[in-house]
Amino acid sequence: MKTRSVVAAIPCIVIGVLLAAPLEAQSKNTTAADEKPQALPSGLDKRFLDTTADPCVNFFQYACGNFPKYYPIPNDRSGYGTGTLVFEHNEYVLHTMLEKAAAGGADRTPNQQKIGDYYAACMDTPAIDQKGLKPFQIELDRIAGLKDKSELTSLLAHYQLINVNAFLGLSVQQDFKDATKELAAVDQGGLGLPERDYYFRTGDAAEKTRKQYVEHISKALGLLGESESDAQTDAQSIFQLETALAKGSMDITSRREPKNIYHLMGLADLEKLTPGLDWPRLLSEAHFPEVKEINVAAPDFFKALNTLLDTTDLKTIKGYLRWQLIASTESTALPKALDEENFDFYGRKLRGQPEQQARWKRCVQATDGALGEALGQVYVAQEFPPSSKAATLQMVHDIESAMNQDLDGLDWMSPATKARAKAKLHAIADKIGYPDHWRDYSKLTVERDDAYGNSQRAAIFESLRQAAKIGKPVDRGEWGMSPPTVNAYYNPSMNDINFPAGILQPPLYDPKATDAENYGHIGGVVGHELTHGFDDEGRQFDGNGNLSDWWTTEDGKKFVDKADCTVNEYSNFVAVDDAKVNGKLTLGENTADNGGLRLALLAFLADAKRKNIDLTQKEDGYTPLQQFFLGHGQNWCGSTRPEQLRLQVQTDPHSPREFRVNGVVRNMPEFGEAFGCKAGQPMMPQKMCRVW
Ligand SMILES: [Zn+2]
């Protein structure tokens, strides 16, 4: 299931490239479907070092230069790196569990039945292909039966339930200004290209993508039974409609500013923006309980939408709805020809990935998406010992106290702001591994022979679960990622940091590695999430999760000046050809990368002092501080296809891997000292940026 468009400034992806978008394929360079992946490397992996490189000139090259020799990008991926190794290990583990659950038997628990049958139905491609378009027919008939635009409201409500965001996206979010409240929200939606600027960017690469996109829509409509000439005409009209929607949409950089996406209003005000839709009916048929106020994330969009609904003919709208239906369907539930066409555009052309990944891998991911906490319960019992939870919690506490001390020492912040920053720090909830209460899937029916129905029912189950939150107290124990996920996040409305079990394993965290390596690896990740609470977005929320300015005017100005230094620094990094890093879009993540590693270093130094570790004593040829920085560098080893890199800098708030290493160490004088760099060398520039 695809993720619903989220209004809030929510989860932050650490292993950026890995999970950047719903269509990213996940796979491994070897071929056999059930081949056990190699053991995960522990701590510093010397094979990956390029000792011919000068660490003071390009530290990423030094730490990771030989990684692609051992792990070239396989044909079924758009990039490959350290995170992928962990991901593939998990994929193997989950696969084994799902095969067992799918094998059946009367003694399966209800959750085992659900995950096993979901996976089995997904794997049953003969059944999916034999049914062909039949499962979609009821939806296609419904579109064909639309007599006038007034009937659109009901159809869009139904689409929201099955997670097709045609024209708009409904969701539920915590109120930015009152985090104890769950609120209905409506946001811009309905684009088939990754982001609004894809419709307007100039240059050969952008124009080529648009041309390929129109061809893709046309081919997909052809596979739904349209004649070639009809499909071509419709594809053009659909593209024009989407372009007009994009024109009314807010760009991703503006959307990082919380106040830009927060416009709480009564339903009557929303009705004034888009009178062409029957809002009370739309919300009620989408099962939202009586809605009195709603966050309209992008009001200008809803004005533009009204004009568009008015001026677009019904035939074009019908074509657009057919297209959106197919484009939003879980790709594993599509019959073969549509699935391959979908991959050809979103995988091959947009990401440069030559081959589709193996079916079982896609089905493991689909099952995790639909039933993440049912799968996660089995996963945690087998893979996540209490000792890992305890050790991680200890490290989180160490890094939190490093931040507490660091705040004391800051020379630019007034005592008043420091006190409020500390209050926020102390209020952060640490969530490690898995939720205390598991989600109840008993109302979700999973059939062994119905891949499309399963995916649709799972989408409806999730939509109803979300809608039911409105008017109820916020569940602060809820997780936004499943336990096997190789990732982590900070949520400003919850004011919590979350580390799923999936990321807490080698090489990111390894009880056998040295302290220096562990602090450089997972310590940096913990510091990263913690710093998100204080980056340019996070700092606008207080300890209770409310959007409220707790900074003195002067301290706020100083923060912005410091952040501007980071914006300018990263804006000069070239990712591929003419595509540079967007310093504003990536500011929050870059702040978290820089602040996070500094906190990890402080925590490590405190730990070394406690344990009397001799910081001059080399082990394996490296001092503890060198090991620490190498640990950080090797978090991000890997390579990325140029098409994927271009997509990343245009859509992803995370900088490319190289800059997540070099961009950070060049701002830390401790790095230059550890490696004996000279002032003025690339990794030890005269001017360094530091926010935290
Ligand atoms: Zn982040």
Side-chain angles (χ1 to χ4, degrees), residues 376 380 384 386 389 431-438 477 479 482-483 499-501:
V380 163
F384 192 62
K389 184 163 181 162
K431 285 153 78 174
I432 316 284
Y434 53 91
D436 291 340
H437 303 286
W438 295 102
W479 280 65
S482 74
F499 303 95

Side-chain angles (χ1 to χ4, degrees), residues 59-71:
F59 184 57
F60 176 72
Q61 180 63 26
Y62 183 83
C64 295
N66 284 337
F67 184 93
K69 287 186 194 157
Y70 291 91
Y71 297 102

Side-chain angles (χ1 to χ4, degrees), residues 8 66 95 191 261 349 482 585 601:
N66 284 337
H95 181 219
L191 303 182
I261 52 167
K349 297 202 167 90
S482 74
L585 175 64
L601 178 64

Side-chain angles (χ1 to χ4, degrees), residues 12-14 528-529 532 589 592 654 660:
C12 125
I13 293 167
V14 173
H528 174 105
E529 300 308 339
H532 269 312
E589 296 301 333
H654 300 83
R660 298 195 75 168

Side-chain angles (χ1 to χ4, degrees), residues 422-449:
K422 281 193 175 187
K424 174 163 185 177
L425 172 64
H426 297 145
I428 289 176
D430 307 322
K431 285 153 78 174
I432 316 284
Y434 53 91
D436 291 340
H437 303 286
W438 295 102
R439 198 164 294 170
D440 174 9
Y441 292 99
S442 56
K443 292 209 171 86
L444 172 59
T445 305
V446 178
E447 311 268 7
R448 201 178 176 86
D449 59 353

Side-chain angles (χ1 to χ4, degrees), residues 1-2 98-99 101-104 108 110-125 128 162-163 329-334 359-360 362-372 374-375 441 444-462:
M1 186 165 42
K2 287 189 183 180
L98 285 170
E99 287 286 345
R108 290 190 299 178
N111 273 347
Q112 282 170 334
Q113 178 272 322
K114 287 187 205 309
I115 58 174
D117 288 352
Y118 197 97
Y119 174 79
C122 177
M123 287 299 287
D124 192 355
T125 47
I128 293 169
I162 62 171
N163 210 12
T329 298
E330 172 82 64
S331 66
T332 48
L334 293 169
R359 183 82 191 176
W360 70 264
R362 301 171 63 206
C363 290
V364 166
Q365 291 315 308
T367 311
D368 183 46
L371 288 152
L375 182 60
Y441 292 99
L444 172 59
T445 305
V446 178
E447 311 268 7
R448 201 178 176 86
D449 59 353
D450 189 11
Y452 179 70
N454 288 342
S455 137
Q456 214 182 49
R457 280 187 295 272
I460 294 171
F461 174 83
E462 176 60 12

